[in-house]
Amino acid sequence: MKLRRHLLSLLAAATAFGAFSAPAAAADYKAEYRLSIVLAPPTPWGQAAKIWSDLVKERTQGRINIKLYPGVSLIQGDQTREFSALRQGVIDMAVGSTINWSPQVKELNLFSLPFLMPDYAAIDALTQGSVGKKIFQTLDKSGVVPLAWGENGYREVTNSKRAIKSPADLKGMKIRVVGSPIYSDMFSAMGANPTQMSWADAQPALSSGAVDGQENPLFLFTVLKMQNVGQKFVTSWGYVADPLIFVVNKDIWASWTPADQAIVRQAAIDAGKQEIAIARKGLTEADKPAFKDIAAMGVTVTHLTPAERDAFVKVTRPVYDKWKNTVGVALVKEAEDAIAARKK
Ligand code: X2X
């Protein structure tokens, strides 16, 4: 009771001094908010987090101060636990891949359905349309506040053995995949030998030759100079692309004033737009300079013909059909319709 009286008198004093007309009740704010990402700057993913945190700091005049934790270091690199950690408050904010959160939010497997999204317009048709809204509602119900979309990108397959043009070329190849079960299903269906591991474990596995190959957006190949660890073959097949999502833990969100919430949301939207342009650089221009740069390093770059691509679509179709049920038949149908109606 005594404490309560004390608090009430403090409150009265603060009101009298006009403390609540200040832009934020800064006393409730943490000195620093922890933002989780898998890949560090200079990757587009790292840039997404950096641009977001810089904009927030600037626009809140330092009231909200964000520190980046690359390598999902708040959870010791165990990226498929990131969503649970966000919900529990071990992580305050994140820019995360749909793949890493899909074990907890099954709808996010949508983006991993093999060959669902044939081009960038198809990705946009999902994230910027009704499907994207539904996914945000699901995330909200799952316990985080979703704010904006970004992009990791089309995941192309690389390896140290041979050019991959058909599922037969993948036969028996040891491919590192993310710890999300649909990836094991896909690579098994294509005849490869997938091994699930975190990105933290994947890098030494590639260097030592414990795995023959991996799949990730091409900027990662360039940033990590994967040709130097024997990755001599790249196949552009565009089988899946993973969007990124900007989110905040619910309690943290609730602790901010409405004005600061609006700033954080708008900064995420602005950062997402900028980052998507960065992620697509070199890949969407007619001559696709990103591929040329990789070929110039002595790497064999293979672009599939439509017929070659169809062979991969065919062998992975049973995986698509199986996972359609997990994602939700209605959501997949809505996505297929949105893609069919996209402006190219
Ligand atoms: O682990 C991966 O391959 C990465 C970095 O792309 C993700 O976090 C999904």
Side-chain angles (χ1 to χ4, degrees), residues 80-92:
T80 50
R81 274 183 39 224
E82 190 179 50
F83 193 81
S84 309
L86 254 167
R87 211 164 25 193
Q88 290 156 7
V90 173
I91 294 171
D92 298 325

Side-chain angles (χ1 to χ4, degrees), residues 44-166:
W45 191 337
Q47 288 299 307
K50 173 133 189 17
I51 297 168
W52 188 24
S53 57
D54 286 351
L55 287 176
V56 167
K57 188 172 189 172
E58 183 191 315
R59 294 177 186 174
T60 62
Q61 277 119 32
R63 281 190 301 281
I64 297 177
N65 189 15
I66 300 167
K67 182 168 176 202
L68 309 191
Y69 287 84
V72 252
S73 58
L74 294 165
I75 44 167
Q76 294 75 46
D78 195 352
Q79 64 207 60
T80 50
R81 274 183 39 224
E82 190 179 50
F83 193 81
S84 309
L86 254 167
R87 211 164 25 193
Q88 290 156 7
V90 173
I91 294 171
D92 298 325
M93 319 168 68
V95 180
S97 163
T98 49
I99 298 173
N100 294 331
W101 300 350
S102 62
Q104 291 82 29
V105 186
K106 59 187 181 12
E107 288 82 355
L108 292 179
N109 285 293
L110 174 71
F111 300 98
S112 299
L113 291 179
F115 301 100
L116 168 69
M117 301 180 293
D119 50 33
Y120 287 100
I123 304 178
D124 295 341
L126 301 189
T127 58
Q128 309 305 313
S130 63
V131 168
K133 286 207 183 77
K134 289 218 168 100
I135 287 182
F136 272 19
Q137 283 161 9
T138 304
L139 285 170
D140 190 70
K141 279 195 214 113
S142 310
V144 301
V145 182
L147 300 176
W149 293 92
E151 188 162 293
N152 193 25
Y154 277 105
R155 304 179 67 87
E156 314 295 17
V157 63
T158 78
N159 81 94
S160 59
K161 297 275 187 227
R162 65 188 90 95
I164 299 170
K165 291 187 181 144
S166 71

Side-chain angles (χ1 to χ4, degrees), residues 8 17-19 24 89 102 121 146 151 175 226 257 266 269 296 298 302 309:
L8 282 175
F17 279 104
S102 62
E151 188 162 293
I175 304 288
M226 287 192 201
T257 63
Q266 190 57 48
I269 292 168
T302 303
R309 186 176 183 276

Side-chain angles (χ1 to χ4, degrees), residues 3-27:
L3 179 69
R4 185 148 166 247
R5 254 203 320 275
H6 184 62
L7 281 176
L8 282 175
S9 65
L10 267 182
L11 191 68
T15 311
F17 279 104
F20 295 107
S21 60

Side-chain angles (χ1 to χ4, degrees), residues 38-39 45 79 97 99-100 152 155 176 178 198-199 215-217 220 242:
V38 178
L39 301 178
W45 191 337
Q79 64 207 60
S97 163
I99 298 173
N100 294 331
N152 193 25
R155 304 179 67 87
R176 174 270 171 175
V178 199
S198 70
W199 182 243
E215 47 78 66
N216 250 300
L220 202 54
D242 51 328

